[in-house]
Amino acid sequence: MDVKLVMFRNDGQRKDFPVVSSPVTIGRGEGCELRVPLLSVSRRHCQITVENDQVIVKDLGSSNGTFVNNKRVTEQQLRPGDRVVIGPVIFTVQIDGQPEEIRPARTKVRKPAQEAPAAETVGVGQTDEDTGAPVAGEEEVDPIAALEDLVAEALKEEEEEEGDSTASRA
């Protein structure tokens, strides 16, 4: 069974996350197979399991909940095309290539702006109730870019560690 979680960048670029092992834990913690480095995502948010020709999502007691097609769930079987929302991140489930065509889901998150004083900073993803605009003191962040930055940072650290061990042997 070929299972992918599909996400779209703000610019419309598609990013696939294959579920190659089972279970896959999603969260912001370092031990998770799929890390989402955002404070609105719990350290161990949810788990995707592929077993007996079924794909199951299970919430792991997350603070903000796991949603499937706009309904909060504790555990649910996933079907092709289902939308799984983890914090502010939206994944579309693709199973064995179905659905073939996936429409981009709007995936935007916000983080506190660096120049805003802590007292004026508000929670992640809050918007003005009247206008829908980001609340002052926040800027938009692309979650895929945040994930890619995290991977790049880890690779850089690995390269530096390899360089240090090579230099110490010389």
Side-chain angles (χ1 to χ4, degrees):
M1 182 176 258
D2 179 36
V3 178
K4 294 178 185 168
L5 300 177
V6 179
M7 180 183 198
F8 289 88
R9 295 180 71 128
N10 293 336
D11 64 6
Q13 182 181 357
R14 177 178 165 152
K15 181 76 173 172
D16 293 6
F17 297 95
V19 178
V20 292
S21 62
S22 182
V24 170
T25 303
I26 302 171
R28 73 171 195 272
E30 290 185 25
C32 295
E33 289 81 11
L34 180 53
R35 286 190 65 206
V36 181
L38 301 170
L39 291 176
S40 59
V41 175
S42 294
R43 279 183 220 113
R44 291 178 34 88
H45 199 97
C46 68
Q47 200 167 55
I48 305 282
T49 306
V50 179
E51 191 175 279
N52 301 327
D53 291 331
Q54 292 186 336
V55 181
I56 307 289
V57 63
K58 181 179 181 180
D59 185 82
L60 299 175
S62 65
S63 299
N64 294 324
T66 300
F67 294 80
V68 176
N69 301 327
N70 298 322
K71 290 176 67 178
R72 189 171 185 156
V73 299
T74 53
E75 185 171 328
Q76 181 169 323
Q77 180 177 347
L78 297 174
R79 302 192 190 307
D82 281 349
R83 299 243 167 128
V84 178
V85 179
I86 300 163
V89 180
I90 303 168
F91 293 103
T92 301
V93 178
Q94 187 177 48
I95 302 173
D96 294 329
Q98 295 299 316
E100 287 181 26
E101 188 176 323
I102 298 175
R103 289 182 165 167
R106 191 175 174 108
T107 305
K108 285 190 178 180
V109 297
R110 304 188 201 303
K111 71 175 181 180
Q114 292 176 330
E115 56 275 355
E120 294 178 24
T121 303
V122 293
V124 173
Q126 291 185 355
T127 56
D128 182 279
E129 291 181 25
D130 297 324
T131 66
V135 176
E138 294 193 340
E139 63 181 274
E140 291 183 4
V141 175
D142 182 345
I144 292 180
L147 291 170
E148 290 170 344
D149 290 346
L150 189 65
V151 170
E153 185 178 310
L155 290 173
K156 183 179 177 184
E157 287 175 8
E158 281 181 22
E159 288 173 4
E160 288 173 358
E161 287 175 11
E162 286 176 14
D164 289 345
S165 63
T166 304
S168 64
R169 283 185 245 150

